[in-house]
Amino acid sequence: MNLQQLRIVRETVRRNFNLTEVANALYTAQSGVSKHIKDLEDELGMELFVRRGKRLLGLTEPGKELLPIVERILIDTQNMKHLGEQFAQQDTGHLAIATTHTQARYALPAVVTRFKQAFPKVYLELHECGPGEIVSLLRDGRVDIGIATEALGSEEDLVSFPYYRWRHAVIVPITHPLAGVAPLTLSAIADYPIITYYPGHTGRARIDAAFARAGLAPDVVMSALDADVIKAYVELGLGVGIIAAMAFDPARDAGLCLLDTPDMFDVNTARLGLRRGHYLRDYAVRFILECAPALTAEQVKEAVFPKAALP
């Protein structure tokens, strides 16, 4: 048994049992992938994959039980590598973060600036994607930290911490009729076409819930993944925009105005997500503390590697 065999098992599941894609992902020949799988099955004395001829269709029952063990072994192998790097090169390395456009564009610049000043030799990689993909990247070990409002707080295999609280806000062109309405109501907003976030992104569920509680059915004519796109189309006069309040910049968005909507929408909480058991270099912990200074390094490490779980 060797690590390459375990990597092939994991990658075969990730690639939906397509051995050509597995071979390409691991930079090896498809015949070699098949041989590694057969050798591992022979050594373990059981078939791991359901087959139809030469095609793999899925995992057998033993294969399903083996997969989480394979994942843990490969994670711990990576952890050992990170541990060695921690003591050999404390201020040098790589930090991968998966986050949404809103966080990357509006919440993280100040944090990233402070972090890069403290760790100039650490290569920082930002993946901009949706909440579901952030969870997948964390689980696969392809990123160290995930940041999003949705998804991160409800996954048992992930640890999450509150980052900051925020609300939605309404934006319109400065000449729009709603710009002079006070107090503004959801009913008044619902009289106009609405442009806001795509379902499942940036607190969209709370926007929908606010209108539903008021018995209103808003006419959402466009949806987008990021506030910059929403603002562009609002400025063209295509609808009223509902965005994260921190995405509005009076200097940059001079053609728009932010309307006063206190308590109109529920509060959202952006969260920092980590995979349980994933070793964090000290600079990764420092990045988390830059986001959430109320936390301590000990709290973060204990959440990821609970002492009670150690042998």
Side-chain angles (χ1 to χ4, degrees):
M1 186 183 306
N2 58 59
L3 291 177
Q4 181 67 353
Q5 291 171 336
L6 303 186
R7 292 188 190 100
I8 286 172
V9 169
R10 181 178 66 181
E11 201 64 34
T12 299
V13 176
R14 287 181 178 177
R15 303 288 170 174
N16 200 29
F17 308 99
N18 185 318
L19 295 187
T20 300
E21 292 185 8
V22 173
N24 292 337
L26 296 178
Y27 303 102
T28 188
Q30 184 173 335
S31 59
V33 168
S34 299
K35 184 176 187 306
H36 274 302
I37 291 174
K38 186 65 168 59
D39 288 347
L40 180 60
E41 289 180 324
D42 289 345
E43 182 176 351
L44 295 176
M46 58 187 181
E47 290 191 348
L48 302 176
F49 297 95
V50 177
R51 291 174 168 83
R52 179 182 296 163
K54 294 184 178 181
R55 292 181 56 202
L56 302 186
L57 303 180
L59 289 170
T60 62
E61 288 304 314
K64 292 175 183 177
E65 293 200 24
L66 180 71
L67 183 61
I69 299 173
V70 168
E71 293 278 7
R72 289 198 300 271
I73 291 172
L74 292 176
I75 288 173
D76 284 341
T77 300
Q78 190 67 27
N79 287 343
M80 287 189 288
K81 179 181 177 182
H82 289 163
L83 180 64
E85 292 170 345
Q86 170 64 28
F87 288 94
Q89 300 175 328
Q90 295 189 12
D91 296 331
T92 303
H94 174 272
L95 181 63
I97 297 169
T99 187
T100 62
H101 171 86
T102 298
Q103 312 302 337
R105 173 67 178 81
Y106 298 103
L108 287 178
V111 171
V112 169
T113 300
R114 293 194 300 270
F115 177 81
K116 289 299 293 180
Q117 289 170 345
F119 297 96
K121 296 181 181 179
V122 173
Y123 175 72
L124 189 62
E125 181 180 309
L126 285 179
H127 297 255
E128 289 187 43
C129 46
E133 188 176 355
I134 292 172
V135 170
S136 296
L137 290 172
L138 281 170
R139 283 180 171 155
D140 291 347
R142 286 181 281 173
V143 299
D144 304 292
I145 301 170
I147 304 173
T149 298
E150 290 83 5
L152 295 178
S154 59
E155 305 295 330
E156 292 185 0
D157 54 341
L158 302 181
V159 175
S160 73
F161 303 98
Y163 178 7
Y164 69 98
R165 290 157 63 86
W166 59 275
R167 288 186 184 272
H168 290 100
V170 177
I171 57 170
V172 293
I174 56 177
T175 57
H176 194 279
L178 285 182
V181 174
L184 186 65
T185 64
L186 280 172
S187 179
I189 295 169
D191 286 338
Y192 294 90
I194 291 174
I195 305 174
T196 189
Y197 296 107
Y198 193 78
H201 292 73
T202 322
R204 169 65 186 273
R206 287 179 171 81
I207 296 172
D208 294 340
F211 283 105
R213 284 195 301 268
L216 299 169
D219 180 20
V220 179
V221 295
M222 287 185 64
S223 59
L225 294 179
D226 66 74
D228 292 337
V229 173
I230 295 171
K231 289 189 290 185
Y233 287 99
V234 170
E235 197 162 12
L236 290 173
L238 298 183
V240 171
I242 303 177
I243 62 171
M246 70 277 196
F248 180 79
D249 183 337
R252 291 175 182 245
D253 304 320
L256 303 172
C257 62
L258 186 74
L259 304 185
D260 187 22
T261 55
D263 304 325
M264 184 174 286
F265 302 104
D266 291 340
V267 173
N268 299 275
T269 301
R271 303 187 70 85
L272 303 156
L274 311 167
R275 179 171 178 170
R276 293 186 193 277
H278 183 74
Y279 183 84
L280 293 173
R281 297 281 300 272
D282 282 354
Y283 55 71
V285 175
R286 173 67 175 274
F287 187 94
I288 295 167
L289 300 185
E290 289 288 349
C291 294
L295 292 172
T296 66
E298 290 71 23
Q299 287 174 321
V300 174
K301 292 178 179 179
E302 168 66 15
V304 176
F305 277 105
K307 293 178 182 177
L310 295 176

